[in-house]
Amino acid sequence: MLHIINKSASDRNCLDACLAVAAEGGAILLIEDAVYAATRGNAAAAKLQQAQGRLKVYILQADLEARGMADRLIEGVTPVDYGGFVDLAASNTCQSWL
Amino acid sequence: MEGVVKKFMFVNRKAPYGTIYALESLEVVLISAAFDQDVSLAFLDDGVYQLKKGQQTKGIETKNFSPTYRALDGYDIEKLYVEREALEARGLAEEDLLVDVTVLSRQEMGALMEQMDVVLSF
Amino acid sequence: MKFGILVNEGPYQHQAADSAYLFCKAALDRGHEIHRVFFYHDGVNNSSRLTEPPQDDRNIVKRWSQLAEAHQIDLVVCVAAALRRGIKDENLAPGFRISGLGQLVETGIEADRLVTFGD
């Protein structure tokens, strides 16, 4: 399953809620304000790194760049463009954690 | 499309009344009953508050839609799943809920989601 | 592959309408089909032809109309959510139509994937 998160982890609990429930082997895609979670020094970054053993983490590059954070992406998170987003959605059932 | 039965899950994560999502989720659930699909409702996080007994909405001049959850079995919608950890974190127990549900751990909930074809989040 | 898209937020207030549009465009570029875009909750505000953004801003409503025309995409606006917000046939932008929630469930059944954008 592809879990899509679009909220800042410092504002809402969507990422925490997703990480608590998501089954092993799934993928997480961070879009919109959720991209901040995967940047160096963000309090949520450690949670993402912990989850990387059981979940693959992707991030929408355009949203990261728009927010001036592209140079702070943490290791182990794979940047994708919108085409990559489409590919992920094509190969998984999608759940948006709104 | 005739004869196609997909597994739909409605994931409810928001409390009622503060926003319209809980009500709108119910609307889609009721419509889905007409399509003879395999429908499950999941209540996670603040979504568990939707099922709290004793809702009285006169004072906020809004329709109390909570009785609808009890009417769902009349539409053959009987799969209601509630996250155990969400109940516990909110001081709620199964007997506080206005309808019969299956209580699942987060892990069981995650495994159930993996079986779905369509997930609608509210 | 056939994608169904659900848009739950209005234009300009939230990025959801932009993300949904860019996803649709990328999916079409990849050779996929958009089975339907369903606009629900405040998302119905994506369909008002009375929208007039400033000249230096993107025109979100027009963008949907143009995408629908170029690729024959079915843009469906939830009737109950629309009427609550003053969206009617007379102020509907080209390419949109108003219909019921059954159209959302139907796209869940007929499309291979349903992707939701919202708040």
Side-chain angles (χ1 to χ4, degrees):
Chain A
M1 173 164 282
L2 176 67
H3 301 274
I4 304 168
I5 317 272
N6 74 335
K7 301 290 179 345
S8 166
S10 354
D11 183 36
R12 302 264 287 268
N13 78 335
C14 306
L15 179 62
D16 281 339
C18 169
L19 290 175
V21 167
E24 185 164 353
I28 293 183
L29 173 66
L30 306 170
I31 69 169
E32 300 173 6
D33 287 349
V35 297
Y36 292 113
T39 58
R40 277 197 303 281
N42 188 291
K47 292 177 196 168
L48 278 177
Q49 273 164 333
Q50 268 176 16
Q52 276 166 11
R54 54 186 193 92
L55 298 161
K56 189 101 178 72
V57 184
Y58 299 88
I59 191 163
L60 193 60
Q61 178 74 11
D63 279 326
L64 192 64
E65 285 173 4
R67 288 159 176 80
M69 301 301 275
D71 58 343
R72 299 193 185 202
L73 182 62
I74 58 172
E75 274 182 34
V77 174
T78 309
V80 294
D81 59 10
Y82 272 96
F85 182 177
V86 170
D87 294 343
L88 285 170
S91 43
N92 297 275
T93 298
C94 302
Q95 177 174 6
S96 297
W97 290 77
L98 302 176
Chain B
M1 172 182 148
E2 189 131 334
V4 175
V5 178
K6 284 194 172 180
K7 288 187 171 180
F8 275 70
M9 177 179 268
F10 293 84
V11 178
N12 302 287
R13 296 185 53 246
K14 294 190 169 82
Y17 309 114
T19 55
I20 198 169
Y21 298 105
L23 174 61
E24 295 279 27
S25 174
L26 262 181
E27 298 276 354
V28 190
V29 166
L30 292 172
I31 297 283
S32 71
F35 286 81
D36 295 323
Q37 300 297 300
D38 182 351
V39 174
S40 300
L41 275 67
F43 297 87
L44 279 62
D45 305 302
D46 277 355
V48 300
Y49 285 131
Q50 294 177 22
L51 301 179
K52 173 71 178 63
K53 276 180 190 165
Q55 297 175 31
Q56 296 187 17
T57 59
K58 268 208 183 88
I60 59 169
E61 300 191 7
T62 301
K63 188 167 78 179
N64 177 1
F65 55 85
S66 65
T68 310
Y69 297 104
R70 278 202 295 263
L72 289 177
D73 65 349
Y75 295 87
D76 291 326
I77 294 169
E78 290 158 344
K79 298 177 183 173
L80 276 64
Y81 301 98
V82 172
E83 180 195 340
R84 174 175 293 119
E85 290 86 343
L87 286 177
E88 286 168 358
R90 287 160 184 79
L92 295 176
E94 216 175 321
E95 56 266 28
D96 295 315
L97 306 182
L98 49 76
V99 68
D100 287 337
V101 300
T102 305
V103 178
L104 298 180
S105 71
R106 282 171 169 169
Q107 202 178 359
E108 291 167 325
M109 192 68 88
L112 185 67
M113 280 176 183
E114 287 291 328
Q115 300 168 20
M116 297 297 143
D117 299 309
V118 181
V119 180
L120 283 155
S121 312
F122 290 89
Chain C
M1 177 164 276
K2 269 193 267 187
F3 282 101
I5 307 292
L6 172 59
V7 181
N8 287 340
E9 275 296 313
Y12 304 108
Q13 172 82 9
H14 190 285
Q15 202 185 337
D18 293 291
S19 299
Y21 170 79
L22 292 169
F23 181 93
C24 287
K25 242 178 47 163
L28 293 163
D29 284 348
R30 282 276 204 271
H32 297 299
E33 182 188 333
I34 304 295
H35 173 264
R36 178 172 295 148
V37 185
F38 191 87
F39 297 89
Y40 195 22
H41 310 285
D42 278 351
V44 299
N45 291 313
N46 280 274
S47 71
S48 170
R49 70 174 173 83
L50 302 177
T51 306
E52 280 184 43
Q55 290 219 325
D56 61 349
D57 198 357
R58 71 236 189 267
N59 190 323
I60 294 179
V61 175
K62 201 183 235 176
R63 237 169 32 176
W64 284 122
S65 292
Q66 287 167 346
L67 196 74
E69 197 188 354
H71 300 276
Q72 279 78 55
I73 298 171
D74 191 20
L75 305 178
V76 178
V77 180
C78 170
V79 59
L83 293 180
R84 279 185 175 122
R85 291 162 178 84
I87 303 277
K88 295 183 161 193
D89 280 328
E90 55 256 43
N91 58 337
L92 214 54
F96 289 88
R97 65 185 179 94
I98 293 178
S99 190
L101 277 173
Q103 300 280 299
L104 170 59
V105 178
E106 189 187 82
T107 204
I109 299 168
E110 291 187 358
D112 301 302
R113 293 277 182 272
L114 184 69
V115 187
T116 304
F117 296 89
D119 188 19

